[in-house]
Every structure is written in structure tokens, then in C-alpha cells.
Amino acid sequence: MKKIIRLVITGGIIGSFIGFNIAIFCSLFFKTAYFVPSSLYFVLGHSPFAVLISELLWILIGVVFAAANRVFSIEKWSITRQTITHFLITYILFTPIAVACGWFPLNFHYLFWFTVEFIAIYIIIWFGCMIKTKYKINKLNETLKQNK
Amino acid sequence: MKVKIHLNREMNGDPYAQIVTNKITPAIDMLADSIRKISFTPTLIAYKFGRKLAIPVSEIIRIYTENKIVVCITADSKYKLRSRIYQLENILPKNIFIRISSSEIVNLNQVKQFDLTAAGMFKVMFKNGNSTFASKRYIKKIQEALSR
């Protein structure tokens, strides 16, 4: 229980921090007249509620990623299984939130390229993990041989 | 000092040394202590079919938890232990026995090499051909133990 609370708090803080900063950056970059927390202002106008709901969504994203990260602590799982499970959790839970944030419209074309990008990122993560671990294990073997 | 070796083929148990003297002097005490020290082989108390046995630690290949029971494997047999993994980690010589996952300790002298499987499992291979899986989170600790 304690772990879950800590996960929600840290995930939430990191999520809202990153979300807020991206929103500020985008607002400045696209030279908007007002601060645009997310595309929700189309529905809610420039009310504080647009900011509040955006923040809740950022918190939710943070919690999803913090929770998904736990799969890398499951010591009996291979890197492949950890990466695929992480992918499934974030893809299934993050995609609807991203749509709710208005980051991309819900149509086949966008969803398709979003999925392709998502998979590409996970393939890179998988390769990175494998190379890093392989390097560390090679180092172990070298030290083991020197000891003999 | 004269040293005599008695050969007794009917004798049971471990060999022992006997000092014959007409007076116990500090020199005799020291001699007895030295014999004890150089002939001391660390053992673990293990059980097999309810029988209690002392196993020289150098013969142990791996110690792990199996269905909540701690067992140890030697070249030709398997024994139950009554201590917990974390207790054994402290009792056993730290330069030889290392923790490789939350449920296993291995004898480094019995390890042939480490490997990363195609799926990304951290594998430990022993000289006798057996193998086991370790936790990737322990790589750093194993490296430190090997580098000592």
C-alpha cells in the first residue's frame, strides 16, 4: 500500500512537472495569446478548469509510466518480456489519455503513425537494454577469468 | 617434536590429531590451537532424509529457495538447509559466495561463466554443466565482489 501511494505521488509530481513545461514550451513556441495547457481549451475555453483537467491528465500519465516501470524490477523476467509488458501497459493506458489531451485526433492515420513511433521507441529501448546488459556481463566474465 | 601418524583402516569419522605430553605448557596450547586453525574447514549443517550432516562449504555449488525451502546443491547431491538465504549470505565466506538474486547464492569457484540469453535473461553457468538464472539488478554487486 505504501509503495502504491509513493508511486502515485512521485509519478504524479513528475507527470505534472513534465506536462506543465511542455505546455508552456508549446504555448511560447506557437505564440498563443493565452497559456494553452492542452487542446481541451477548445471545449472548455480559457477557464481554470481546462488547466485543472489538463493537470489531472498529466498526473495520470506520470502514474501510468511510474507503474509500468515496476515491470523492470521483476527479476525473473527477461528483457524481452519486461519491454513488451511495459509497451502494452503504456500503449493501452497512455494512448486514450493522449487522445483526451487532444495531442492527436482520433483517426486511423494518426493512430497508425503514433503506434509505429511507439513501437520504434520500444525497439530502441530493447536494443539499449540488451547492449548495456551484455556489456556488463562481458565485464563480469573478464573479471572472473582474471581471478582464476 | 616427534610426529607420529597412526594408520587405522577401521576408524570412523574425520581424522584427528593427538598430542601426548606429561605437562600442559603454553607451547603445547599454542600447538593445539595452530593445528585446529590450519585443519579447520568451514562447513554448513544440512539435512537429507532427516539426517543431519556437515557439508564443507567448498563443495557447495549453489544455495537457493525452492517452494519456500532453502536447499543447497553439491556435485552429487541436494540437501535442505534450515537457515534463511540472508542469514547464509552473512555466514558464508563473502569472497567465495555471492548473492545473484533474491532467492539464490552461488559459489564463485564453481562458476564457469555468465551469459545473456537471446531473450535477455542473465544466466549463470557452472563448471559441472548446470546453470541458473540470476537477477540483472545484482550485476553491479557481483562485479564488486569479483573485483575485491
Side-chain angles (χ1 to χ4, degrees), chain A residues 72-73 75-82 126 130 133-134 136-137 139-141 143-144 147-148, chain B residues 101-102 111-122 135-139 142-143 146-147:
Chain A
F72 284 104
S73 318
E75 56 177 20
K76 286 203 160 66
W77 285 14
S78 69
I79 291 172
T80 308
R81 190 169 174 189
Q82 287 171 338
W126 183 85
M130 287 295 279
T133 313
K134 185 78 196 159
K136 284 182 184 169
I137 290 176
K139 232 175 115 188
L140 280 186
N141 281 327
T143 325
L144 187 71
N147 284 2
K148 276 173 192 165
Chain B
S101 71
S102 60
V111 173
K112 191 179 158 220
Q113 68 173 70
F114 301 98
D115 197 13
L116 183 68
T117 66
M121 290 288 276
F122 176 21
S135 163
K136 291 181 283 293
R137 284 192 297 169
Y138 281 83
I139 291 182
I142 299 170
Q143 179 69 49
L146 283 172
S147 306

Side-chain angles (χ1 to χ4, degrees), chain A residues 36-111:
Chain A
V36 179
S38 68
S39 306
L40 287 167
Y41 82 99
F42 288 124
V43 190
L44 297 164
H46 292 289
S47 78
F49 281 105
V51 183
L52 178 70
I53 291 173
S54 301
E55 198 207 0
L56 289 177
L57 291 171
W58 298 332
I59 287 173
L60 217 55
I61 293 170
V63 174
V64 165
F65 276 87
N69 273 346
R70 303 292 307 155
V71 304
F72 284 104
S73 318
I74 302 172
E75 56 177 20
K76 286 203 160 66
W77 285 14
S78 69
I79 291 172
T80 308
R81 190 169 174 189
Q82 287 171 338
T83 315
I84 291 174
T85 311
H86 195 282
F87 166 79
L88 291 175
I89 294 171
T90 55
Y91 184 75
I92 292 167
L93 297 176
F94 171 74
T95 313
I97 305 172
V99 172
C101 281
W103 287 344
F104 62 84
L106 195 54
N107 69 40
F108 177 78
H109 177 258
Y110 276 99
L111 203 62

